[in-house]
Amino acid sequence: FGAGVRWCALPGRRMIDGVVYTPPEQARRYFEKRLWIDLTVGEALRRTATRVPDRIAFASEEGELTFRELDEDSDRLGGALLAMGVQPGERAMFQMGTVLETAVALSACYKAGIIPVCSVPQYREIEIGQLARLSGASLYFVQADFSAFDLVGFALGMQDKVPSLERLVVARGKNDELKRLIDSVSLEEARRRLSHVKQSPEDCFVFQLSGGSTGVPKIIPRFHGEYLAHCDAWNKMHGMDEHSV
């Protein structure tokens, strides 16, 4: 995976060097057969928030987020990231636990066209260094209060070792920049900025990982329409619907 981003002739389509994309004719057949869903993840969240704004989207022992709150907070964070100079197509390393802030930050990236690299807080220099170099990640999200390990200090050290990791965003803790960014822009201004980000259901929206048996994790590109259909099928298989939390 290279760090470059190139644009092709298809409207809204952003192609990342090193990612293998589905040929247009094959993608068209997937959409026709409903094997893919003709939406981006951000559009799907917005539609759900419009339809059932007060229904719970995520719940944790610390609190809960309604679909409206998730949609609005992720809009504001996405708009703030664009305002600070992050460009659609850039990659973002994630080292955060299972907390509500993670859902907001991931959703913000999806809407802004920023590609999360979904690593885990337990990874250290070998894994993060390799993933950052492979993905060309320029943004770095960490959770300040994950266990006793100093993730913030670790991230600062990784920035010295991997020059591409230019921007660090700390969630939670004493210096909660994630909250500051959300509060830094109005919902109206954030949505205005996000409206200029053109995305296609065929675009890559996230880099997931596979450990495998040959050393460091491997990067797995996933695509908006493909992944939404995967989630829809998974929900149906397990009997989950829009009333499930």
Side-chain angles (χ1 to χ4, degrees), residues 3 13 26-27 31 39 51 73 86 94 111 120 138 142 153 165 167 186 188 222 228-229 231 234 240-241 243:
R13 186 79 179 273
Q26 187 175 347
F31 286 123
L39 286 173
R51 191 178 72 253
D73 284 356
V86 184
F94 267 75
K111 290 176 175 180
V120 297
S138 57
V142 298
L165 291 171
R167 300 178 176 91
S186 69
E188 181 181 24
R222 303 299 297 266
L228 286 172
C231 293
W234 188 92
M240 298 176 68
D241 58 22
H243 299 285

Side-chain angles (χ1 to χ4, degrees), residues 30-50:
Y30 287 160
F31 286 123
E32 288 174 351
K33 295 180 179 179
R34 292 286 292 174
L35 297 173
W36 287 8
I37 292 176
D38 193 12
L39 286 173
T40 66
V41 174
E43 289 170 338
L45 174 56
R46 175 66 58 79
R47 289 189 180 192
T48 304
T50 299

Side-chain angles (χ1 to χ4, degrees), residues 49-196:
T50 299
R51 191 178 72 253
V52 288
D54 298 321
R55 190 162 292 163
I56 296 172
F58 288 96
S60 78
E61 61 185 7
E62 299 177 331
E64 57 192 36
L65 279 174
T66 65
F67 279 104
R68 178 195 286 117
E69 290 169 333
L70 176 60
D71 186 48
E72 292 182 355
D73 284 356
S74 59
D75 272 352
R76 292 174 71 183
L77 179 56
L81 293 172
L82 295 174
M84 68 187 280
V86 184
Q87 297 295 313
E90 290 191 45
R91 271 72 77 196
M93 185 68 62
F94 267 75
Q95 278 198 285
M96 296 179 65
T98 310
V99 292
L100 297 176
E101 288 85 351
T102 304
V104 172
L106 286 170
S107 299
C109 287
Y110 302 153
K111 290 176 175 180
I114 300 163
I115 316 297
V117 183
C118 293
S119 72
V120 297
Q122 292 86 356
Y123 282 169
R124 297 297 179 256
E125 183 175 339
I126 292 176
E127 295 91 349
I128 295 299
Q130 177 80 342
L131 290 171
R133 293 182 186 97
L134 281 174
S135 67
S138 57
L139 189 61
Y140 196 173
F141 286 88
V142 298
Q143 179 182 330
D145 59 355
F146 184 87
S147 76
F149 182 74
D150 182 11
L151 262 179
V152 178
F154 170 76
L156 291 169
M158 290 307 302
Q159 284 187 292
D160 291 335
K161 294 178 174 69
V162 185
S164 69
L165 291 171
E166 297 175 353
R167 300 178 176 91
L168 178 64
V169 178
V170 178
R172 301 162 65 99
K174 294 180 180 178
N175 300 307
D176 191 342
E177 188 181 8
L178 193 82
K179 185 177 185 306
R180 183 189 66 76
L181 285 169
I182 293 172
D183 293 339
S184 71
V185 61
S186 69
L187 183 61
E188 181 181 24
E189 171 63 15
R191 286 181 170 168
R192 185 189 68 78
R193 289 183 178 276
L194 290 170
S195 69
H196 297 295

